[in-house]
Amino acid sequence: MKVRTDRIKEMAAAAAADQGLHQTLLAAAGRFRQLRQGGVAAFDDLEKARDQGRRVKERCLAELDRLLPRLEKQVRAAGGRVHWARDAAAARAIILGLARARGVKRVVKGKSMMSEEVGLNQALEQDGLEVFETDLGEYIVQLAQESPSHILAPAIHKNKQEIAALFADKLGVDYTDDPEELTRIARRVLRQKFLQADMGITGGNFAIAESGTLALFENEGNIRMSTTLPRLHVALIGIEKVVETYRDFDVLRKLLTISATGQKLSTYLSLITGPRRDGELEGPDEFHLVLLDNGRSRILADPLLRQSLYCLRCGACLNVCPVYQCIGGHSYGWVYSGPIGCLLNTQLLPRGQGGPAPFACTLCGACAAVCPVKIDHPKVMLHLRWLMAEDPAWPLPRPPAARLGLSLYAWLATRPAGFRSASALARLLAPIAAPGGKARLTPPAISRWGRTRRLPRWQRPFSQRWPGLRRRLGNREEPS
Amino acid sequence: MSDPAREAIVQAVSAAVGRGQPTRSDPDTGPSQVAWLPPEEDWEAAAASLQALGDELLVIKGRQELAAALGEITARHQVKRAVRWDHRLLRRLDIDRLLAEQSVDCAAIAGEQDLRSLAAEAELGVTALDALVVSTGTLVMRGGRGRERAVSLLPEVHLALVTPDRRLRAIKDLVPLWQQWRSEPGGPPGSVTLVTGHSRTADIELILVSGVHGPKYIYVLALEFPWDD
Ligand code: SF4
Ligand code: SF4
């Protein structure tokens, strides 16, 4: 997927100005929040479950160097093969190599952020393969030659009229904007693809090391199709998806579905251990698990950043984020969006490329409050800002005027007498320089910054105003 | 095993986690016995869970009721062809004959070609459950020979038979069942599928649509009679 993270500002501005999109985003986020809320209300002791989930992720990642070889051993014991990919290019090469060696012509895919992350579709298509996304939302997005905009609802940015026109144009069917009818059309078209495909590619929500089992959640059934019908199944997962035991998995699976859609369980959960066995009549002849690092081991090494890898991709943080709801998924410029996107894009892309997304955050903490594994997004966000500011590789604006201003502030802040006189001076000048709190004369160096901000009201410190305030409040007190 | 990428990744991960202080697993508490519900318990909870999902559970008290239920369901969905698992329960109940009485062609999957042509054309797929989780209405099915996944996936209607001794209270009760399967020779089954409700999507304007890729209708027949005589 093309990286456009450096353009977040213009894309966000355009998205925020698009009223239709804005309404759609608000409606979608509201609906998902409502679904989650319904599930959470019926959930026994969510706080305890979140703590448990966090602990499971902490432990499994701390043990990852042992769990990965164990997973490999078990997958092999079940007759599957394991491939290791250090980066996106390696993952593409492995999967392309498999497709070539096995004479694959048609590929069906289940929803997978991983395949977006490594840019798999383009690579396969350039090699002359036919690739079909089979999750309805992903299929729509693929037909439109766009990219997904929400973890759970990839085509949320398109309304049914747009989808109707798209189907009429690309599939040659009669125009209908009835969702039932559109779904039936997609079912019919994709059913043929499933039956003809040689290779199914999926991601994976968890990989259980003790048994070599891949766990896949979905509501539509396309992942079941992709893992049952084609003669090859390739699953591409990040190394952080490994858990140790089925019990660990059980802790996380309930958090995942409740946080995503409020469901106690998604419609389908497939637990897959290796390919078809002797004497069986269905299932792929070969099962390949591709383990992708692509920057994850680097994230793992930082004790504070590591929590970014706890993410279950439930999407709950997107639906509560005021920024995401305003600018939508595409503005983030790469695979991941919303709060978790701010963290992952910046860390997974090469240094200096992830764009300024961590700065596009109000630090309100709504994301951390819903995250099922208690990722502290604002804390990580601040840490990333600091790392980025310190590292010249990041093309951040560092205007000398701002630097000068901040140095001056730092100097003043450590000198109480100077600070007091400066604030007194500011109080005196405020009515002239900034009537009504709006700066009139912003120096050009910070004028862009100043345009969207109000100056603080220059007042005497609260401790000095309190005696007067108390007198006034006291006067208003009701006689008892 | 001398894959340089493998070595590099495991080494990088090992360095990142600062190997030296192995963390302990959370103590593996919880029962190791599978907590099957007592067979005499009623089906109300399970029926309510399935209903909440938009599906149906019917309690069947005898062979005649079974025939009647099959008649009703096949008529409702205009079923002409059915596929089924090659499963002892289904053979003992003579599902093929019962369906034939409704002029429905039913056959077990016998070969791979069958699977693709039959399952893809049948309107009805008949399976038997390894477990039914009553609090969520979840159908648990192991895959394997005679238990093909495609039967519960390709046809528009899925009919699942279950006996009273195969019920679990909650999803977490699957943990000991999984552990039991895992300790069997050959390890856990190649596939285990959990089905909670019929196939659905809300990908177009968040409007819920049923039956996008998998079945649109699910019926669970709860067999409350001695079928094994
Ligand atoms: S803290 Fe930042 S990322 Fe999280 S919800 Fe608030 S604005 Fe969004
Ligand atoms: S960061 Fe947390 S809330 Fe956001 S998608 Fe990941 S697990 Fe869900």
Side-chain angles (χ1 to χ4, degrees):
Chain A
M1 186 174 170
K2 207 162 167 225
V3 182
R4 296 186 305 170
T5 42
D6 54 328
R7 292 183 44 211
I8 182 169
K9 245 185 185 159
E10 9 169 343
M11 292 191 295
D18 181 340
Q19 275 305 315
L21 179 68
H22 191 56
Q23 290 309 320
T24 312
L25 286 168
L26 282 181
R31 178 92 187 97
F32 279 115
R33 280 202 307 274
Q34 195 185 26
L35 285 172
R36 176 182 174 277
Q37 211 41 52
V40 163
F43 195 91
D44 211 21
D45 210 346
L46 181 66
E47 272 321 289
K48 191 172 142 211
R50 290 173 76 206
D51 284 330
Q52 258 183 332
R54 169 94 184 186
R55 275 207 308 277
V56 165
K57 286 302 292 187
E58 277 171 2
R59 172 169 47 78
C60 291
L61 286 185
E63 287 285 308
L64 194 58
D65 59 336
R66 291 197 179 143
L67 295 185
L68 286 168
R70 190 164 165 204
L71 174 72
E72 178 185 45
K73 189 170 154 226
Q74 294 301 327
V75 170
R76 291 161 61 113
R81 276 197 58 191
V82 175
H83 308 261
W84 303 75
R86 296 184 70 174
D87 52 26
R92 289 194 301 266
I94 289 165
I95 298 173
L96 266 181
L98 279 170
R100 281 187 197 145
R102 308 294 192 276
V104 169
K105 294 197 174 57
R106 290 189 197 83
V107 178
V108 282
K109 292 183 63 220
K111 188 159 82 185
S112 150
M113 315 283 292
M114 295 301 299
S115 106
E116 292 282 324
E117 183 180 324
V118 304
L120 194 56
N121 283 13
Q122 297 89 315
L124 293 170
E125 278 164 2
Q126 270 166 24
D127 219 46
L129 292 162
E130 280 187 88
V131 182
F132 299 95
E133 291 290 349
T134 59
D135 171 89
L136 179 59
E138 296 267 356
Y139 179 61
I140 292 168
V141 162
Q142 187 191 30
L143 277 184
Q145 297 178 308
E146 291 173 4
S147 59
S149 61
H150 189 288
I151 299 183
L152 301 176
I156 195 63
H157 57 285
K158 297 191 97 60
N159 63 32
K160 60 186 180 197
Q161 289 80 14
E162 290 170 318
I163 297 168
L166 182 72
F167 276 24
D169 176 33
K170 300 275 165 130
L171 303 176
V173 294
D174 290 339
Y175 181 98
T176 166
D177 62 9
D178 173 20
E180 282 272 349
E181 208 42 57
L182 290 167
T183 304
R184 212 188 328 268
I185 293 167
R187 176 185 169 109
R188 201 187 59 230
V189 174
L190 288 172
R191 181 58 70 92
Q192 285 317 305
K193 309 299 177 202
F194 286 126
L195 290 167
Q196 294 164 351
D198 322 281
M199 181 188 261
I201 301 179
T202 66
N205 297 88
F206 303 98
I208 306 170
E210 66 171 3
S211 57
T213 303
L214 184 74
L216 291 151
F217 292 80
E218 56 162 338
N219 285 323
E220 295 188 359
N222 60 310
I223 291 180
R224 286 185 69 191
M225 297 272 185
S226 306
T227 57
T228 305
L229 297 173
R231 60 192 162 88
L232 282 134
H233 173 201
V234 179
L236 171 63
I237 63 169
I239 52 173
E240 83 280 18
K241 291 292 168 76
V242 183
V243 296
E244 185 173 2
T245 64
Y246 185 87
R247 199 178 283 283
D248 292 334
F249 158 75
D250 195 58
V251 169
L252 297 174
R253 64 99 190 130
K254 63 182 171 208
L255 285 167
L256 171 61
T257 56
I258 277 282
S259 308
T261 48
Q263 291 167 289
K264 284 188 195 152
L265 200 58
S266 56
T267 301
Y268 300 121
L269 163 57
S270 304
L271 295 162
I272 292 172
T273 312
R276 170 202 304 228
R277 301 190 178 171
D278 282 348
E280 291 183 358
L281 301 177
E282 66 172 1
D285 297 324
E286 297 177 36
F287 170 71
H288 297 268
L289 181 65
V290 183
L291 296 169
L292 177 69
D293 183 337
N294 207 29
R296 287 166 174 79
S297 55
R298 198 176 58 228
I299 301 175
L300 194 64
D302 185 307
L304 197 136
L305 299 179
R306 178 183 291 186
Q307 57 189 305
S308 322
L309 299 176
Y310 298 167
C311 175
L312 310 178
R313 311 276 188 274
C314 72
C317 57
L318 276 67
N319 303 319
V320 296
C321 176
V323 177
Y324 174 85
Q325 287 174 64
C326 186
I327 70 176
H330 287 148
S331 300
Y332 291 84
W334 199 51
V335 183
Y336 303 98
S337 59
I340 190 61
C342 291
L343 307 188
L344 287 181
N345 291 352
T346 307
Q347 298 179 76
L348 289 175
L349 286 166
R351 204 171 125 238
Q353 261 191 43
F359 293 88
C361 162
T362 67
L363 303 177
C364 70
C367 45
V370 295
C371 178
V373 284
K374 295 201 161 177
I375 297 174
D376 191 344
H377 308 71
K379 194 166 172 185
V380 181
M381 214 81 78
L382 280 175
H383 188 61
L384 284 173
R385 289 183 189 179
W386 178 80
L387 286 176
M388 291 163 79
E390 292 293 304
D391 182 349
W394 292 92
L396 297 175
R398 295 178 172 82
R403 296 215 136 193
L404 187 70
L406 287 172
S407 316
L408 195 66
Y409 179 81
W411 186 83
L412 270 177
T414 50
R415 283 161 184 80
F419 193 82
R420 269 197 300 276
S421 340
S423 355
L425 186 67
R427 279 200 296 279
L428 203 67
L429 294 178
I432 310 160
K438 242 345 199 183
R440 200 159 51 182
L441 299 164
T442 31
I446 57 162
S447 62
R448 270 204 328 186
W449 182 84
R451 231 187 351 245
T452 54
R453 282 171 176 83
R454 282 182 168 266
L455 287 175
R457 283 175 63 201
W458 300 98
Q459 289 191 329
R460 282 181 302 131
F462 187 73
S463 59
Q464 286 178 23
R465 285 183 287 135
W466 176 233
L469 270 173
R470 193 170 51 183
R471 267 197 304 281
R472 278 182 15 224
L473 283 171
N475 290 345
R476 281 197 352 218
E477 224 160 46
E478 307 274 296
S480 56
Chain B
M1 278 273 220
S2 65
D3 173 359
R6 178 189 190 279
E7 302 313 317
I9 292 172
V10 174
Q11 235 169 51
V13 169
S14 195
V17 300
R19 183 40 68 201
Q21 62 287 48
T23 46
R24 266 181 309 128
S25 303
D26 283 356
D28 204 344
T29 50
S32 46
Q33 281 292 312
V34 183
W36 297 112
L37 290 181
E40 58 280 3
E41 204 174 293
D42 66 37
W43 293 90
E44 260 169 49
S49 298
L50 276 150
Q51 197 184 9
L53 294 163
D55 300 310
E56 230 175 295
L57 179 138
L58 303 167
V59 180
I60 306 291
K61 295 225 158 79
R63 283 176 194 271
Q64 266 164 15
E65 275 189 37
L66 178 63
L70 290 176
E72 161 85 30
I73 292 166
T74 49
R76 191 184 295 173
H77 299 289
Q78 294 158 20
V79 175
K80 305 242 158 22
R81 282 148 306 182
V83 273
R84 65 165 171 86
W85 278 2
D86 194 6
H87 187 282
R88 183 157 166 273
L89 175 64
L90 306 181
R91 284 196 305 265
R92 291 303 291 240
L93 291 169
D94 212 350
I95 291 288
D96 292 353
R97 188 178 54 78
L98 292 177
L99 284 170
E101 284 167 10
Q102 310 294 333
S103 343
V104 174
D105 257 344
C106 182
I109 303 251
E112 195 171 351
Q113 228 18 64
D114 254 24
L115 179 87
R116 289 186 169 257
S117 52
L118 283 183
E121 277 161 28
E123 295 95 4
L124 174 72
V126 188
T127 68
L129 300 185
D130 280 300
L132 175 71
V133 181
V134 303
S135 65
T136 52
T138 300
L139 286 47
V140 183
M141 291 172 286
R142 273 179 299 174
R145 180 72 198 252
R147 330 165 63 92
E148 284 73 26
R149 289 175 259 173
V151 174
S152 65
L153 180 62
L154 295 177
E156 191 164 59
V157 186
H158 175 201
L159 180 72
L161 275 60
V162 64
T163 50
D165 55 339
R166 304 257 103 203
R167 288 177 296 174
L168 295 169
R169 179 87 57 208
I171 307 280
K172 67 173 190 311
D173 297 325
L174 284 168
V175 177
L177 185 58
W178 174 268
Q179 283 163 347
Q180 186 182 308
W181 286 338
R182 190 165 81 83
S183 61
E184 282 165 10
S191 85
V192 174
T193 308
L194 275 62
V195 177
T196 309
H198 53 262
S199 159
R200 60 194 65 204
T201 184
D203 275 350
I204 301 176
E205 291 196 0
L206 299 173
I207 298 162
L208 196 64
V209 178
S210 294
V212 50
H213 291 299
K216 194 167 178 172
Y217 308 95
I218 293 179
Y219 296 90
V220 175
L221 301 189
L223 303 178
E224 276 284 1
F225 64 94
W227 52 271
D228 208 9
D229 330 318

